[in-house]
Amino acid sequence: MPSSTTQVSNLLLYGPVLQVQVVVGSALEEALKTRGEMLPEPVVIQALVDTGATGTVIRKDIPEKLGIHPIGQQEIATATQERIRSETYMVRLVLPDRVIVEVKAVAAEMPGQPIQCLIGRDVLARGVLIYIGYVNSFTLSF
């Protein structure tokens, strides 16, 4: 089971943040390869592991950078709003130690945030999160 431990300068202030790559979903990658087309470059972003998020959320501009189209829509709620209609996309998150997780991510505005992704319980359900506050580190295992 691959594990990755990340040290954060102030875990209480910043939360469990890590750098991830967002790439196209596996079905689209296979279709592009079959047609002999180039794969879009991965988008490198900062992500927050958020146990309060049911699912994974990516910033609204990321699908455009990947050149992908929505697969559907979903209503979401945030801390300040409820019933926000958002588009969903199939993407893969490449986490540290080359752990790859395919998810249906919701695209949403994230104004004023230093992160571009929330890693939700849809991803955490597949692994283990250990939050070690007194040493400002956390570990993800899959």
Side-chain angles (χ1 to χ4, degrees), residues 53-54 56 101 119-129 140-142:
T54 306
T56 296
V101 182
I119 296 175
R121 294 190 307 267
D122 57 336
V123 173
L124 294 176
R126 304 173 196 191
V128 176
L129 168 64
L140 281 172
S141 298
F142 292 92

Side-chain angles (χ1 to χ4, degrees), residues 91-95 99-103 122-123 126 142:
V91 296
R92 286 178 290 165
L93 302 178
V94 182
L95 305 171
V99 172
I100 300 173
V101 182
E102 187 148 11
V103 295
D122 57 336
V123 173
R126 304 173 196 191
F142 292 92

